[in-house]
Amino acid sequence: MAQIFHHSTNVLSRLSIYGGVFIVALLGAALYAIELSPWYTDVHVSREQPVPFSHKHHAGELGIDCRYCHTSVEKSSFAGVPPTQTCMTCHSQIWTNSAMLEPVRASYRDDKSISWTRVNALPDFVYFDHSIHVSKGIGCTTCHGQIAEMPLTYRAGTLYMSWCLDCHRQPEKYVRPKSQVFNPNYQVPANQEQLGRELVKEYKIQSLQNCSVCHR
Amino acid sequence: MDPESSQNIGHAREAPVLEPGHTLATVTDKISSIVLGRGTTKGWIIGFGISFALLMLLNVAVTYLLVKGVGIWGIRIPIAWGFAIVNFVWWIGIGHAGTLISAILLLLHQKWRTSINRFAEAMTIFAVACAGMFPLLHMGRPWMFYYLMPYPNPMWMWPQFRSPLVWDVFAVSTYATVSLLFWFVGMIPDLATLRDRAKNRAAQVIYGFLAMGWRGSAVHWSRYETASLLLAGLATPLVVSVHTVVSFDFSVAIVPGWHSTIFPPYFVAGAIYSGFAMVITLAIPIRKFYHLEDLVTMRHLDNMAKVMLATGVIVAYGYMMETFMAFYSGNQFDRYMIMNRMTGPYAWVYWLLIACNIVIPQVLWSRKVRNNIPMLFIVALVVNVGMWLERFVIVVVSLHRDYIPSAWGTYIPTRWDWATYVGTIGLFLTLFYLFIRFLPMISIVEMRSLVEETNEESRNK
Amino acid sequence: MSSNPNTPERKSIDLAAASANLAHRDGKRFWQSLEELSETKEYREFLEHEFPHDTAKDPEGIDRRDVLKLAAASAALAGLSACTKLPTEKIVPYVKPPEEIIPGRPLFYATSMQLAGVATGLLVESNMGRPTKIEGNPEHPGSLGGTDVFAQASVLTLYDPDRSQTVIHEGRISDWDPFAVAMTNMRGQQSPKGPGLRILTETVTSPSLAAHVRAVLKQFPEAKWHQYEPCGRDNVREGAKLAFGKPVNPVYKFDKADVIVSLDADFLTCGAGHVRYTRDFSSRRALDTPSANPNRLYVVESMPSSTGAMADHRKPARASEIGGFAQRLAAEVGVASANGGGTNSQNISADWTRAVAKDLQQHRGSSLVIAGEEQPPYVHALAHAMNAALGNVGKTVYYTDPLETNPIDGMESLRDLANDMKAGKVDALLILGGNPVYDAPVDFDFGPALLNVKLRIHSGLYYDETGELCHWHVPATHYLESWGDARAYDGTIGIIQPLIAPLYQGCHSPYEILGLLGNDAGKSNHDGVRDYWAGQRPEKDKAFEDLWERSLHDGVMTGTALPAINVAARTDFAKPPNTQSAGSNTAAASDLEISFRPDPSILDGRFANNGWLQETPKPNTRLTWDNAAMVSPATAQHLNITTGDYVTLQLNGHETKAGVMIVPGHADSSVTLHLGYGRRRAGKVGTGTGFNANFIRNSTTPWAATGLHIEKTGEEYYFAVTQHQYIIDRQGQTFEEESAAAFHRDLIQVATLEEFRANPRFAQDPQEEPTPGLSLYPGFKYDGYAWGMSIDLNKCVGCNACVVACQSENNIAVVGKKQVMLGRAMHWIRVDTYFRGGLENPEMYYEPMPCMQCENAPCEVVCPVGATTHSPEGLNEMTYNRCVGTRYCSNNCPYKVRRFNFFLFSDWQTPSLYGLRNPNVTVRSRGVMEKCTYCVQRINAAKIHSEEANQTIKDGEIVTACQGACPADAIVFGNINDPNSRVSKLKAQSRNYRLLAELNTKPRTSYLARVRNPNPEIHE
């Protein structure tokens, strides 16, 4: 009787058998790639803001201290986003009629908050505290990246748990002298490894990795 | 294994494993015609209809479960595991008979296994499918199931390998894979037969596709033999390991009534016990409706009954030791647990279980009963129930009164508990109906090899 | 949003939405209510039909939202959940920052909360302007840092979405201005002296509020001011009058009392000063050394109460028999006039009475007799006489002028009002707080009478039974929203300051309403209070400024405690003036008595819509979501009724229905029915729960009446109890099996004082201690902090404050009656209750059960995903976002302290509740396990602060929610690696023991054994 299958099916069947293995592997790899892609993590993706505020200009060129605006960074879990008032301390004097700043003036005028788009967001079940990190010699730029070179602010790290753990497991890789914490242009020294180890000792930095440090 | 049955292979007074007078052709016809020959019978349609309805019930139950959460079940604190786990253990247990028959009996060269191993294996796979659903469904957040698997992730988190539940994941998934392979590989030559005998194009293509180009060449046969032997070798330890791991879910915990070293052996025995009960429950009607009396002979039923009897006795020993240890250990919590089992609010379940699993099956000592098909069928059903009750006693009754009296509670299954349970039975039967309709439920190849021998025997007489 | 609690925009938006839909609802209600006016039988049946017994929210119903959830679930199942992106969030900073608020840091403000006019001082935690948690105010004499369930739960009432939010005029939404106009018109219409104008308030101890009322009365000299309190202190006042000829306020010093006799007084649960009294009382139960000298408590009571559970000798006696007992006791201790009187109660023998009397006399000046607020004046008078005879006055008790600015008999006052209303003498009635239509005695027919009033104005937190019958309803401000002042039990003035502006524009304080009638309309609530004090105090200008600031900061105005006054107790006061106790003396034991009590959870019903309190298991009965007709086992047998029977209670012509509950230790041939339930318009939570006792409560016998008749309806009623299932469900088990097991398993360790002195280590069983190194896994090393807890069973009075405090601190969900019945209550700490001895009068034992934080935790090893893990400081951490909900940990927890979200129990829909939540604790979702964490959020906060200051955490710096709330100071938390910490010292005590130690779980929570101090001369 006639053949049911064309003999090319042999090749196909063999291919599909071997192929199956690779396809599964590829799929996994693809998922992982997506999870690390900027599209998913928003790393280096600068956000639209009501006012195109430039950290490059303020922190970099003008050299305004981080704490001038982010007032509660040393006292609280929340670094603090400046109230309109803070903007107006200067901008009631300079650039008073620039169109770009109209939203700020409007906010101050009608007592309506500016609603900024959040750049660095953590899930609700993660409890991060700024104050303890800065007080233990973790610099702003360590997590927030070269903020002094960001015309529009973007997320510098994935903010994944692994990203946190990387530092929590080896703080010496990132810790810097307390004096340098708020220096946006701090350069990691060549002897970081050894300097880091000393600082870790000096600042009594614990490598906290248990769950309830961040989750509760 | 019960030695008697193996000694008496082909012994005159024993019923033969294949009624004499069959030729290679008749055997092949008989089996393949069920699939290819006369189309769908009325009986099949009705049976399938009912089981499919039950399957739909399962759909509803599962959907509602996913919408609302496991709270729709009767579980509560302290009885945080209920029907889901009971059913899981029950189904997994049932699966074991298939593997035992196809793997261990193959290695032991038990001729009588041939005509029942195919659908016993099918039963295994379907049972494991049902069992596999429960650990997933009973989770509070089933969509997070992948947390139980070790895979690289941006959380740098791994499963907690000290937990028996993680061992379960591996045990059960391995078991499912190996059984499936074993079943399929064993079926390839038969699929080829069906392909060749099929008349209509669709059937030819489908069976052809599944037959994977089997041409029955010598090479094929030798490959086939090695493969099935290897798989048998792989499957054999699983028969023991899987239910051992399942028993760890309990024996590793500190709950009185769970924390017991005897669990692994007596879980395995129990598994085989319930498994064979299920095989008998399925074999008897099938053999009746498809007139396979001379392929599945009294001999098979008799042997299976003996296996049941043997494993049943082991299980009884298990119960005895549990009770004895509770008193011998002097541990007040274990003592209370046993007393509570025997006299507490769920005492009736315990005594019913003793009746089903220990008392009633003793009738199997008598050859008369073993050869009386209705009786055998009933006993098998009773054991199925009994083994389900056993799991209920272990899971629920142990939990409902453990260490802190203020936290004692009572467990009352809701309609959704029942719906899910009955639903999985529906799933099982649906799959089984499809199987007997579209696949050779008895291994044609192996039956052919039996033909010669049986003819020998009849000539000798 | 809990990762960033600081976006103010969420609240504002949602509140708008909330008020909108609520307003919509209110419009519909009025008309429906018209046929509800009189509490007709038909209506009640309709009610029961409308609100079936498991009225509480039922998570099993399916609705549109569920379909969406299904979509989500199935999508998730498809494995997509890994690839969902975080939604983009907004940050909305202030325009001009308020000073002193640091985003993300809580602030604490002092204020006071009053019950029946008596204030308890509080410190309220405020997160970004949202009051979220109540603590006790250590500066305040009424608190000393302790609180009660009511204070803890009051913050939920603030955010209760069912609170009325807009001014309502005849069922339609209105506004403050039209109301103000209506008031001015009303003033105009009044005849000059205003005889037709009446003001009805609750008990007022606030001088400033009283001043406002008086200002109105000045305008209308013939107007009347009525005060009514369903659970007030009328009997205390009348008793004082009887004994001293004038109303005085007795203040007790339990810390000075060696021997205490309570005549049906539940002074640890409610009533004036109960929080302080608990602290003082249990301070005398600390047994640091065997030589310590604990107090001895005798209790004679009808319904087993927390106080009864603490008693060293307890006698159940019908409320009406206690007068008789008091009289005989008085005679024994030498109160002349008492001689001869007093009939014997069946189970109080003369010897017993004599022994008690002897004990009292042996402790002259250091003993104390206290009568319950529910007891008739005569008993109070006897108590005063006894204290005088025993020379206790000035030592364990002293008297001050009454706390009330206008001490009158509330019951009589309301009677006058009701009569005048019936007689049509009232043309305008201003009801400031209270809910008389619901809680007035049935013989007043208050509802129908009210309808004779031409202009009815109601101000209250809820648009309730009373509000709906009034022309005008003005939403009242919650005490966390308004200014005020109130006196503590000793008269100390506490200033009430708002933590937040009124959530709804409609809300106004009584000050503003009275302002409309007085001559300072439009004056703000704040000015009303402040100006009053500015006028009162000697300090002026700057001096007053400072005083005011200090008073606000401390929460008390120093030196305002009322001075002790010198009063001599007459002993020749008239024999029972009150039919109640006279009747009782002659009442045959056979005829059935009913006694009414304020409910230990919801009092007179004012907290009926508070889910936390409704779900709090009541002391001893462990009953939630209901009250019940409570009877002793013997009486139940005698009447052939049993737990779960749905019966009709008939009392002189009136009747109500109720479920029966058998309560071991209850007095025979007596039924106790708690007040506050059976509310018709409490709100979504409270409406239809329990049974309305006011249907049969009579003004002449408000607390106890004989002649009750019980009839079975044949129906069954199902209670939700969290323990003692075996009394409740009918499986033939008795609760005894449960308790017997508890003692057999050494869960409760107890000894008498002699035994304790003979063998101080009685609680520890060396055999139970497992040999070290048994564990399969390597042990942990704790070289830093090691957190531990010690709970003193000798101090714990089972008041449940810890339970509610925990619920508030940790965002614990309310699950509803049905789920409680299914054993799914979520409390992280529970107060287990066990009984010892016969059913008729068992000893009662409390055992608070938080997570034991085992060092070898069985839960940790079985979690397949590592969602519950061990911290270097010995905590069993629970990581909700990792939990997949296998519930294995709960099965393997020998203490069963883990709680599972079987459904989506947390309320993610109701906007107003967002404000309530503690921003530092995750709001759990469906399908995850949760449990006590020793308030890890507080531990972390303290660690961060100490690390920043480069110090170590000081002992007592971290206070867990349960510890902070405990009025008895029974719970102590701290670092057990520090041998000098308080907790280490307690754990070193000989009474220290651990539960199920033989399991080698090494629990960090340990207990101090109970020691009873029975009178050696009493043998029973």
Side-chain angles (χ1 to χ4, degrees), chain B residues 134-169:
Chain B
F134 285 106
L136 275 182
L137 293 180
H138 102 290
M139 285 196 288
R141 304 197 295 167
W143 49 92
M144 292 294 191
F145 69 97
Y146 55 84
Y147 277 1
L148 281 94
M149 310 193 180
Y151 68 103
N153 60 67
M155 296 175 289
W156 285 2
M157 285 291 294
W158 295 105
Q160 213 255 111
F161 291 102
R162 289 183 300 177
S163 167
L165 292 189
V166 176
W167 313 340
D168 261 358
V169 174

Side-chain angles (χ1 to χ4, degrees), chain B residues 62-82 84-85 135-149 151 153 155 157-167 169 247-256 258 331-337 340 343-346 395 399-412 414-416, chain C residues 58-63 66-67 69-70 73-74 76-77 79 81-82 722-726 729 731 733 737-739 741-742 744-747 768 777 780 819-825 830 832-834 847 849 858-868 880-888 890-896 898-904 925-929 995-996 998-999 1001:
Chain B
V62 171
T63 312
Y64 192 60
L65 176 75
L66 294 178
V67 176
K68 301 303 293 183
V70 288
I72 64 170
W73 292 341
I75 47 174
R76 51 172 291 171
I77 308 295
I79 309 112
W81 285 356
I85 301 301
L136 275 182
L137 293 180
H138 102 290
M139 285 196 288
R141 304 197 295 167
W143 49 92
M144 292 294 191
F145 69 97
Y146 55 84
Y147 277 1
L148 281 94
M149 310 193 180
Y151 68 103
N153 60 67
M155 296 175 289
M157 285 291 294
W158 295 105
Q160 213 255 111
F161 291 102
R162 289 183 300 177
S163 167
L165 292 189
V166 176
W167 313 340
V169 174
S247 79
F248 285 164
D249 292 349
F250 303 103
S251 50
V252 163
I254 64 169
V255 180
W258 287 12
N331 178 321
Q332 61 160 326
F333 303 111
D334 283 0
R335 280 188 189 180
Y336 183 86
M337 179 272 298
N340 183 49
T343 63
Y346 292 104
V395 175
L399 281 174
H400 93 117
R401 288 186 178 184
D402 64 348
Y403 291 100
I404 299 284
S406 72
W408 287 354
T410 42
Y411 172 82
I412 299 139
T414 65
R415 55 185 191 280
W416 294 108
Chain C
D58 166 16
E60 271 207 57
I62 191 156
D63 59 24
D66 297 328
V67 182
K69 284 205 215 111
L70 168 61
S74 46
L77 264 181
S81 65
T722 59
Q723 206 188 326
H724 315 324
Q725 309 256 346
Y726 307 108
D729 64 25
Q731 295 191 18
Q733 266 79 9
E737 179 171 9
E738 180 184 310
S739 286
H744 188 240
R745 298 170 178 199
D746 298 333
L747 301 183
E768 278 190 358
Y777 302 110
F780 296 91
Q819 294 300 310
V820 174
M821 289 172 79
L822 288 169
R824 295 167 179 178
R830 59 177 199 262
D832 287 352
T833 308
Y834 297 109
E847 183 164 59
M849 282 279 254
C859 51
E860 288 167 5
V861 290
V862 297
C863 175
V865 293
T868 183
Y880 311 117
N881 44 301
R882 179 70 181 174
C883 178
V884 296
T886 66
R887 305 183 296 286
Y888 200 172
S890 170
N891 288 343
N892 214 32
C893 171
Y895 307 97
K896 289 290 172 284
R898 293 179 155 265
R899 298 286 173 256
F900 187 69
N901 291 273
F902 288 91
F903 291 111
L904 185 60
S925 181
R926 167 190 136 192
V928 302
M929 191 61 72
L995 299 190
L996 304 174
E998 64 269 45
L999 296 181
T1001 51

Side-chain angles (χ1 to χ4, degrees), chain C residues 556-573:
Chain C
V556 290
M557 208 175 264
T558 38
T560 47
L562 292 170
I565 56 170
N566 211 338
V567 283
R570 304 159 42 202
T571 53
D572 58 342
F573 46 78

Side-chain angles (χ1 to χ4, degrees), chain C residues 532-589:
Chain C
Y532 169 82
W533 285 107
Q536 288 296 307
R537 302 292 303 192
E539 302 89 344
K540 292 286 163 254
D541 313 329
K542 183 77 187 70
F544 176 74
E545 204 54 52
D546 302 342
L547 169 85
W548 182 250
E549 286 306 319
R550 201 162 358 98
S551 308
L552 290 186
H553 176 274
D554 302 349
V556 290
M557 208 175 264
T558 38
T560 47
L562 292 170
I565 56 170
N566 211 338
V567 283
R570 304 159 42 202
T571 53
D572 58 342
F573 46 78
K575 279 281 166 60
N578 171 328
T579 56
Q580 185 180 337
S581 59
S584 70
N585 287 2
T586 57

Side-chain angles (χ1 to χ4, degrees), chain C residues 897-915:
Chain C
V897 289
R898 293 179 155 265
R899 298 286 173 256
F900 187 69
N901 291 273
F902 288 91
F903 291 111
L904 185 60
F905 284 142
S906 308
D907 185 335
W908 292 67
Q909 272 84 39
T910 313
S912 71
L913 291 181
Y914 295 162

